[in-house]
Amino acid sequence: ECAEGEFDQIVAQELQEPFDLERGPVWRARLVRPGEHEHALIVTAHHLVCDGWSSNVILEEMAALYTAAVEGRSLQLPPAMPFHEFAEWQAAEENEGTWNYWTQLFEPLPPTLELPIDKPRSSTRSFRGARVSREIAPETCAKIRSAARAEGVTLFAFLLSAYQVLLHRWSGATDLVVGVPAAGQNAMGREDLVGHGANVLPLRSQLDPAEPFSGLLARVKTSLLDAFEHQNFTFSRLLDRLAVPREPGRVPLVSAFFNLDPELHDLRFGELRTSVQPSPRTHYQFELGFNMVDHDGQLRIECDYNLGFFEASTAERLAANFESLLETVATAPGTPLGALPACAPSERRIVLEQFNATASEYPREADLASLFTAQAGRTPDAPAARFGSRTLTYSDLEKNANRVARWLERHGAQPGDCIGLCADRSLENVLGTLGIVKAGCTYVPLDPALPGERLQLILGETGAKIVLTLDRHVSRFANSERRLARLDADWESFRRSGSQPLEVTVSGEAPAYVMFTSGSTGRPKGVVVPHRAISRLVLRTNYVQLAADDIVGAMANPAFDAATFEIWGALLNGALLHGIDKETALDPARLAARSGRRGHQHG
């Protein structure tokens, strides 16, 4: 007798109690009374002497003996068969025809099934396992049985085919091996034999996404008949024969398993009301397995999974997805495999609706210049950009960018014009970028490392008549007809232009910059990016939140699109844009040390 809530502890203790394989026993039973009118018989056996088939034999014979005893009659069970006779029979049944069938089936060996696991794969195998269960809706069960009859296949073949499709849709694999159990007792014709007569049959299938499910059913039906006709071998000997490469972290050849437990018939313990409950699963040798249970006309999915690879939530999703898949193939078996649902409707809604519910409000119509001016008004004294020993506050950056904008206007730049900008990662590059958009113009980032011919091609494509650059890059534009202005050496000319903002109206759809790609032909192709796209990238997003106390590292080449996030992500959120020199950016250790000294950084 056990106290309330103690029964589960007793079951767990039974599962953890080891067997003494040298002295025995290797089978034990314990009778517990969880309640006044309730008894539980806990039967535990080592796999050496008992398999799933044997468990049913034991239960059926115990029920028959109990019922006979309470009814006052005698019962003679069939004489026990020594297990060595089964082993000798199995060895005698092995023949070259059996081996030829399996070696031809696995010539060549299939690729390893790579399931999308939740955890990093270890170099050693874990045997810790668990199970989640799901009852299939009664109306779906009826459809499955009806569809199996209509297609001329067994329930087992129908469910196995659907399981193969689930693995195919989940992993993308088209050459699959699924292990199924074979009861040696049935093959020998001794259904009352108790012992470890189970074997693993590795069933191989090629799946074509264009093939209808009914076509796969027909092929699986044939492969099952062939496999069971050639089942007289042991899995371990097959692996040796095939010379399957061994990996310590994997079960060789078979990663996924499938089984259908038949319903127990005539299990009657006198007049007692009885039910059979499997023990909680705590270990599992494969990566993933579906054990289907046929009971009272209903079907239950038991998803067994290895804890070294999967989380319980994944197993629950797979069970739900399998039920949804079964519903579809039972209703429309002519559906091509590639068109069958990869997930349940509830999961599909999450993927299509919940995951895509990314809309958020942002300033769609505002231009970058007005957004930066507003930020500078909120945090005028905060540091905005720092490169080396030079730092500009938001107020400084606002005034100096206005000087660049006014200089551009004074030299003929009109809103919408493209302006070349060749200034590396530098404070001048930030000033040039801001100044160009404040003039209502479009900046064209130029990489000074590019060949001169390519630079001229980019400028020609955009029609840029002005190039803002640095003194050290002037030679890159020799013999150019375009006006050049050095943001460093010519700064006095910019300073005299005045620091008041220009009265320029620019919409969110106006081009902010043109970024040139290499192009598939080698000829650079310009991509026009509007102000609105940059606002969407860095303001009120759900993938990163930038604030005034953040530091954003400026590490990207300004002619590379990643610089867009660095510059505008910092300046439109009140953060500090901190220049990272090339040597530090290319050295992870130095970069980590710099980030640690500076505090929380992005970029």
Side-chain angles (χ1 to χ4, degrees):
E1 187 172 350
C2 63
E4 184 177 354
E6 191 181 354
F7 179 70
D8 290 342
Q9 298 177 11
I10 294 174
V11 173
Q13 180 182 352
E14 280 292 319
L15 291 174
Q16 296 299 322
E17 185 69 26
F19 289 102
D20 187 334
L21 299 183
E22 191 172 344
R23 288 181 292 271
V26 287
W27 187 92
R28 57 177 177 258
R30 184 174 180 180
L31 187 63
V32 180
R33 191 168 71 175
E36 185 177 357
H37 302 291
E38 183 180 11
H39 291 78
L41 179 64
I42 305 172
V43 179
T44 313
H46 196 282
H47 217 342
L48 281 173
V49 297
C50 188
D51 54 17
W53 185 286
S54 302
S55 298
N56 289 351
V57 172
I58 293 171
L59 288 174
E60 289 170 352
E61 291 188 351
M62 288 177 64
L65 289 169
Y66 181 91
T67 302
V70 297
E71 292 177 353
R73 56 184 174 84
S74 62
L75 178 67
Q76 187 68 37
L77 294 177
M81 175 183 175
F83 190 75
H84 70 83
E85 292 184 13
F86 169 77
E88 291 165 357
W89 169 85
Q90 187 178 54
E93 287 294 309
E94 289 185 3
N95 56 65
E96 285 306 308
T98 295
W99 293 123
N100 288 339
Y101 169 78
W102 292 104
T103 52
Q104 289 175 16
L105 181 65
F106 286 98
E107 177 60 43
L109 287 173
T112 301
L113 177 60
E114 296 290 351
L115 298 174
I117 57 181
D118 297 325
K119 304 174 183 179
R121 186 176 292 278
S122 173
S123 59
T124 58
R125 282 175 64 187
S126 166
F127 293 93
R128 295 187 309 111
R131 166 180 287 175
V132 299
S133 298
R134 181 185 182 90
E135 296 286 341
I136 296 180
E139 57 272 20
T140 302
C141 292
K143 290 180 182 178
I144 293 169
R145 296 180 192 278
S146 176
R149 287 193 297 270
E151 295 292 331
V153 299
T154 63
L155 178 62
F156 181 81
F158 192 93
L159 295 172
L160 172 61
S161 300
Y163 181 61
Q164 291 177 341
V165 174
L166 179 73
L167 295 176
H168 159 65
R169 299 287 284 140
W170 192 41
S171 68
T174 56
D175 190 351
L176 291 171
V177 178
V178 174
V180 300
Q185 295 93 327
N186 192 33
M188 188 182 186
R190 286 299 303 267
E191 298 184 355
D192 57 343
L193 172 67
V194 172
H196 191 321
N199 190 28
V200 176
L201 298 184
L203 300 183
R204 185 177 187 178
S205 292
Q206 276 81 30
L207 286 81
D208 180 357
E211 179 184 28
F213 180 72
S214 55
L216 175 64
L217 272 178
R219 291 194 294 110
V220 169
K221 175 183 177 180
T222 301
S223 66
L224 275 173
L225 292 172
D226 290 342
F228 279 99
E229 185 178 341
H230 298 88
Q231 66 173 297
N232 295 318
F233 68 97
T234 60
F235 183 60
S236 59
R237 290 196 64 189
L238 176 64
L239 296 177
D240 292 338
R241 282 262 185 162
L242 297 177
V244 178
R246 305 298 179 97
E247 296 181 48
R250 295 180 186 269
V251 177
L253 199 61
V254 174
S255 300
F257 199 75
F258 184 84
N259 183 39
L260 172 63
D261 275 343
E263 186 174 12
L264 285 171
H265 297 287
D266 302 324
L267 191 63
R268 184 172 66 90
F269 284 78
E271 299 301 321
L272 298 179
R273 288 182 300 170
T274 61
S275 65
V276 179
Q277 300 294 331
S279 300
R281 182 171 287 283
T282 58
H283 294 79
Y284 195 56
Q285 66 269 44
F286 300 100
E287 293 183 19
L288 181 75
F290 270 29
N291 186 65
M292 304 294 296
V293 180
D294 187 352
H295 64 104
D296 297 330
Q298 300 304 304
L299 292 169
R300 181 173 71 247
I301 304 169
E302 294 179 341
C303 179
D304 298 321
Y305 60 99
N306 191 299
L307 288 170
F309 301 117
F310 298 108
E311 302 285 355
S313 57
T314 299
E316 290 168 352
R317 284 175 45 228
L318 280 173
N321 293 347
F322 190 52
E323 180 179 5
S324 178
L325 176 63
L326 287 170
E327 165 76 22
T328 302
V329 296
T331 304
T335 306
L337 304 185
L340 291 170
C343 56
S346 58
E347 186 174 334
R348 181 179 175 84
R349 283 193 296 271
I350 291 174
V351 173
L352 295 183
E353 299 174 16
Q354 183 176 321
F355 287 177
N356 281 306
T358 58
S360 62
E361 289 302 318
Y362 69 99
R364 293 171 176 266
E365 303 305 324
D367 64 294
L368 299 174
S370 62
L371 290 171
F372 175 77
T373 296
Q375 180 60 53
R378 292 191 293 270
T379 57
D381 299 324
R386 178 178 297 143
F387 286 76
S389 60
R390 302 163 62 201
T391 301
L392 290 182
T393 65
Y394 273 85
S395 177
D396 296 333
L397 197 53
E398 166 74 8
K399 293 175 182 178
N400 286 334
N402 288 336
R403 291 184 170 102
V404 174
R406 285 189 169 277
W407 185 94
L408 289 169
E409 182 190 51
R410 186 157 54 89
H411 288 84
Q414 300 291 322
D417 285 353
C418 286
I419 308 295
L421 179 59
C422 182
D424 301 318
R425 273 182 305 229
S426 62
L427 205 54
E428 287 77 14
N429 179 71
V430 179
L431 282 171
T433 301
L434 269 171
I436 292 170
V437 298
K438 276 180 165 288
C441 297
T442 303
Y443 64 94
V444 182
L446 301 170
D447 185 351
L450 290 176
E453 181 182 355
R454 182 170 176 128
L455 292 174
Q456 293 303 324
L457 189 151
I458 291 174
L459 292 172
E461 288 282 335
T462 59
K465 296 182 174 60
I466 300 175
V467 176
L468 302 182
T469 186
L470 300 177
D471 185 58
R472 61 180 177 271
H473 299 320
V474 169
S475 62
R476 307 292 294 123
F477 304 95
N479 303 320
S480 174
E481 299 177 356
R482 295 165 180 83
R483 176 181 288 276
L484 297 179
R486 299 170 297 179
L487 289 164
D488 48 1
D490 298 330
W491 183 249
E492 183 60 27
S493 175
F494 288 96
R495 190 185 64 79
R496 291 197 301 267
S497 299
S499 62
Q500 294 302 309
L502 292 176
E503 296 294 333
V504 177
T505 301
V506 176
S507 74
E509 291 293 345
Y513 70 93
V514 179
M515 184 68 66
F516 276 78
T517 68
S518 61
S520 58
T521 63
R523 181 181 177 86
K525 298 178 181 179
V527 178
V528 181
V529 180
H531 290 248
R532 173 186 288 185
I534 301 174
S535 300
R536 171 69 288 181
L537 176 69
V538 302
L539 292 176
R540 302 171 193 168
T541 65
N542 58 5
Y543 68 91
V544 64
Q545 285 75 44
L546 295 171
D549 58 350
D550 282 322
I551 302 173
V552 179
M555 296 189 293
N557 185 324
F560 178 54
D561 210 35
T564 305
F565 175 84
E566 295 173 355
I567 294 172
W568 295 109
L571 300 184
L572 297 189
N573 288 286
L576 169 63
L577 179 66
H578 192 283
I580 305 294
D581 61 86
K582 183 177 180 180
E583 290 72 21
T584 300
L586 295 177
D587 187 331
R590 290 178 62 179
L591 181 60
R594 172 75 66 85
S595 299
R597 289 197 302 271
R598 299 294 181 186
H600 188 213
Q601 290 199 10
H602 299 272

